Amino acid sequence: MKKFQVYKHPDGRLLAVKEGFSFPGAIFGALWMLWHKMWVLGGVAVVVGIGLYFVFPSPEGYLLGIPYGHRFGTADVLNIGIGVIVGVFGNEWRRASLAERGFDNVSVEMAETADGATAAYLRDPGKPAGMSASDYDRKEPV
């Protein structure tokens, strides 16, 4: 089971964001950020990622002079580092982006998937924010 934070927009949309490392964020980096509407961070990652190939060209390629017999170089290592950073901080940045766009954190749920977390929230939307279903079930009635 994974821990998800469930966010609700004033228009009723629900989104769940997993806590911890984001493997899709690490693999797809800037594209993942742009997909999740983190425009500034995604744009910066695209510019930096491409710019690294101009600053640290491949050991054998020309890039603009075309014959690009690519070998693993410094820019590749730095871009992998960017991917790891996006994987580590991506879900945190996504939660901040949702808050900036008007979403409210309404619940913390334990589930296998994001859809499972939103379904768990919908089963009991009255439980206090920040309390998982297992914590809520253990509370004694007053």
Side-chain angles (χ1 to χ4, degrees), residues 13 23 25 57-58 69 79 85 110 125 142:
R13 288 179 288 157
F23 286 100
S58 170
N79 274 312
I85 290 169
M110 297 297 289
V142 186

Side-chain angles (χ1 to χ4, degrees), residues 75-133:
D76 299 311
V77 173
L78 294 173
N79 274 312
I80 289 171
I82 290 172
V84 170
I85 290 169
V86 172
V88 170
F89 297 106
N91 284 333
E92 187 176 323
W93 294 337
R94 186 172 176 212
R95 287 191 293 273
S97 172
L98 290 173
E100 288 174 4
R101 293 186 350 236
F103 284 81
D104 293 322
N105 186 353
V106 292
S107 181
V108 176
E109 302 289 344
M110 297 297 289
E112 288 295 324
T113 65
D115 289 338
T118 55
Y121 169 73
L122 289 173
R123 277 193 293 275
D124 189 7
K127 77 171 169 278
M131 184 178 287
S132 69

Side-chain angles (χ1 to χ4, degrees), residues 14 21 23 25 27 42 66 72 92 103 121 124 134-136:
L14 290 173
F21 191 81
F23 286 100
I27 293 168
I66 306 298
F72 205 70
E92 187 176 323
F103 284 81
Y121 169 73
D124 189 7
S134 58
D135 292 338
Y136 186 62

Side-chain angles (χ1 to χ4, degrees), residues 41-53:
L41 284 174
V44 167
V46 166
V47 169
V48 169
I50 292 172
L52 286 172
Y53 286 102

Side-chain angles (χ1 to χ4, degrees), residues 4-80:
F4 289 88
Q5 291 190 19
V6 180
Y7 287 83
K8 186 174 185 178
H9 194 269
D11 68 7
R13 288 179 288 157
L14 290 173
L15 289 174
V17 180
K18 183 177 73 97
E19 291 188 2
F21 191 81
S22 170
F23 286 100
I27 293 168
F28 299 109
L31 295 175
W32 178 84
M33 288 190 281
L34 293 171
W35 178 264
H36 290 292
K37 300 179 183 173
M38 293 183 274
W39 306 117
V40 173
L41 284 174
V44 167
V46 166
V47 169
V48 169
I50 292 172
L52 286 172
Y53 286 102
F54 286 100
V55 175
F56 302 106
S58 170
E60 264 193 35
Y62 299 139
L63 191 64
L64 295 175
I66 306 298
Y68 200 69
H70 188 74
R71 278 202 207 162
F72 205 70
T74 305
D76 299 311
V77 173
L78 294 173
N79 274 312
I80 289 171

